[in-house]
């Protein structure tokens, strides 16, 4: 199941370790980071309302204790603020939980029945009650008994951030639109998470909760109510680095594209800092290299980085293979559904000695 994070539908990026480190450092500099709020995510959803002008989704009704929608949902239904599907928030990070199953950890298996309505899905798991919080359960997923070639881990913390590494966003093999399938979540082992990870016996205490969530079009997603006041977007730390250019949204129209030029030097590092929810994208010479959805007002936006060395044969974005050091490239930042200002930090000059090879 493929990348995207977080709702990004742009091309995948071969990010080097240094790029990932730099992006992680910048995100930690922010006062509020969406990923750091994952455990408190359910409570944060309590004030959700429908996006103005968007057509509300039609969520199914879940019978008590059931892993599947009831047979006769109401003709129309709006998102319910703070609603949970089992222990999971119904809406989180652009996805909507549509089915869940549960079982004791001792049984090593949980199942859910799912009527497939999307080709962009995420699986979430949560295992409260484990005897040791430093234990993580290994699990594999099967669809109608056939392995989906998808492994996951389950621990005692509830996270609903899309995780491409464990649950990339595409429908697993054996599940097609319109099918009703049985998805099985099977515990295959356990590992320690503190210090040096090592294999542990599978505990007999605790509960497995397992859910499938489908991508919701941004216009239909219930974002939180707008705060009475919003702080203007501020650079997150990269602005002071050599070669960085900061561009701001149009004061009269935050959804108007903003274009600038940069001198290409062995790759790029881009970050969008939004004030409001929206879909934010960055393109180089018309080739989209970053696309991300923002569903809250934390100011935590999407980032992407790609460092190309002279001797590398691979490129993050094949369409930019012809770009050479010293070329002037056109960078365009666009937003949709934004209702407030944003800024973007754009850097195409790598200064580290490691970039000189």
């Amino acid at each position: 199941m493929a990348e995207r994070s977080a709702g990004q539908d742009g091309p995948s990026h071969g990010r080097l370790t240094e790029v990932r480190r730099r992006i992680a450092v910048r995100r930690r500099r922010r006062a509020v980071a969406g990923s750091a709020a994952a455990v408190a995510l359910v409570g944060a959803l309590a004030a959700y309302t429908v996006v103005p002008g968007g057509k509300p989704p039609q969520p199914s009704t879940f019978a008590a204790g059931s892993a599947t929608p009831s047979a006769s949902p109401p003709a129309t239904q709006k998102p319910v603020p703070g609603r949970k599907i089992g222990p999971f928030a119904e809406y989180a990070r652009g996805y909507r939980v549509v089915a869940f199953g549960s079982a004791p950890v001792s049984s090593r298996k949980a199942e859910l029945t799912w009527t497939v309505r999307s080709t962009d899905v995420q699986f979430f798991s949560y295992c409260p009650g484990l005897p040791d919080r430093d234990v993580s359960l290994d699990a594999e997923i099967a669809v109608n008994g056939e392995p989906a070639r998808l492994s996951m881990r389950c621990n005692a913390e509830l996270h609903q951030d899309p995780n491409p590494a464990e649950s990339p966003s595409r429908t697993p093999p054996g599940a097609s639109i319109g099918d009703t399938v049985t998805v099985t979540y099977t515990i295959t082992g356990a590992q320690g998470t503190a210090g040096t990870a090592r294999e542990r016996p599978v505990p007999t205490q605790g509960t497995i909760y397992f859910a499938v969530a489908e991508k919701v079009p941004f216009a239909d997603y219930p974002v939180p109510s707008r705060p009475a006041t919003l702080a203007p977007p501020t650079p997150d730390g990269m602005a002071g680095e050599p070669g960085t250019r900061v561009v701001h949204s149009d004061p009269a129209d935050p959804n108007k594209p903003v274009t600038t030029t940069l001198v290409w030097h062995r790759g790029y590092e881009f970050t969008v800092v939004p004030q409001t929810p929206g879909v934010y994208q960055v393109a180089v010479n018309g080739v989209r290299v970053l696309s991300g959805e923002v569903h809250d007002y934390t100011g935590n936006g999407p980032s992407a980085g790609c460092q190309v060395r002279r001797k590398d044969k691979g490129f993050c974005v094949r369409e930019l293979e012809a770009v050479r050091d010293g070329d002037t490239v056109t960078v365009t930042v666009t937003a949709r559904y934004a209702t407030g200002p944003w800024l973007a930090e754009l850097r195409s000059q790598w200064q580290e000695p490691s970039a000189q090879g």
Side-chain angles (χ1 to χ4, degrees):
M1 297 168 77
E3 184 193 50
R4 183 58 237 164
S5 74
Q8 291 186 17
D9 53 5
S12 61
H13 303 288
R15 301 181 184 178
L16 301 178
T17 301
E18 177 62 16
V19 177
R20 291 195 297 266
R21 183 192 69 78
R22 291 164 59 85
I23 291 174
V25 168
R26 293 203 313 277
R27 283 178 173 168
R28 287 197 296 271
R29 289 171 181 163
R30 298 190 181 170
V32 180
S35 59
V39 176
L41 183 59
V42 172
L45 295 173
Y48 273 23
T49 58
V50 179
V51 177
K55 179 181 178 182
Q58 306 299 317
S60 302
T61 299
F62 286 76
S66 172
T68 58
S70 62
S72 302
T76 59
Q77 200 172 50
K78 294 182 178 181
V80 178
R83 173 169 162 163
K84 295 181 182 179
I85 305 301
F88 302 98
E90 182 178 11
Y91 290 92
R93 298 293 190 263
Y95 288 81
R96 174 179 173 257
V97 172
V98 294
F100 88 102
S102 64
V105 169
S106 58
S107 71
R108 295 201 177 196
K109 183 183 294 186
E111 291 186 344
L112 61 82
T113 301
W114 168 38
T115 299
V116 185
R117 300 184 181 90
S118 175
T119 57
D120 186 343
V121 303
Q122 292 282 334
F123 291 104
F124 302 126
S125 59
Y126 170 48
C127 293
L130 297 176
D132 187 345
R133 292 185 65 85
D134 292 328
V135 170
S136 174
L137 306 182
D138 299 328
E140 294 183 351
I141 293 175
V143 177
N144 288 339
E146 295 295 326
R149 299 188 295 278
L150 177 60
S151 299
M152 294 185 68
R153 288 189 176 182
C154 191
N155 56 42
E157 292 185 346
L158 177 58
H159 291 268
Q160 284 184 248
D161 289 322
N163 187 344
E166 289 192 343
S167 177
S169 54
R170 68 172 173 81
T171 305
S176 300
I177 296 293
D179 291 348
T180 297
V181 297
T182 298
V183 185
T184 306
Y185 183 88
T186 303
I187 302 298
T188 59
Q191 295 185 30
T193 59
T196 302
R198 62 184 185 276
E199 190 171 338
R200 300 276 191 90
V202 176
T204 56
Q205 296 174 243
T207 304
I208 304 167
Y209 290 99
F210 173 56
V212 59
E214 297 181 339
K215 188 70 176 66
V216 178
F218 187 89
D220 296 342
Y221 188 84
V223 300
S225 299
R226 187 184 183 93
T229 59
L230 287 172
T234 57
D236 69 357
M238 189 169 68
E241 298 177 7
T244 298
R245 179 167 301 172
V246 177
V247 298
H248 294 264
S249 57
D250 185 289
D253 181 5
N255 293 300
K256 182 178 180 179
V258 175
T259 298
T260 189
T261 58
L262 294 175
V263 177
W264 183 268
H265 188 72
R266 298 176 183 171
Y268 59 81
E269 189 171 1
F270 299 149
T271 296
V272 178
V273 182
Q275 187 190 49
T276 69
V279 180
Y280 300 89
Q281 299 179 345
V282 180
V284 175
N285 288 352
V287 177
R288 187 170 58 205
V289 298
L290 168 63
S291 180
E293 293 185 0
V294 175
H295 301 96
D296 54 32
Y297 294 89
T298 64
N300 188 42
S303 295
C306 169
Q307 184 174 348
V308 179
R309 299 188 183 187
R310 290 177 179 177
K311 296 180 181 180
D312 284 354
K313 294 183 179 179
F315 291 81
C316 302
V317 182
R318 182 61 61 180
E319 294 87 343
L320 297 176
E321 184 175 354
V323 179
R324 296 288 183 263
D325 286 357
D327 288 354
T328 297
V329 297
T330 299
V331 181
T332 304
V333 186
T334 59
R336 289 183 294 144
Y337 306 107
T339 58
W342 50 262
L343 64 81
E345 297 173 317
L346 312 172
R347 186 168 187 262
S348 67
Q349 295 179 329
W350 296 90
Q351 304 295 326
E352 297 85 349
S354 61
Q356 302 304 314

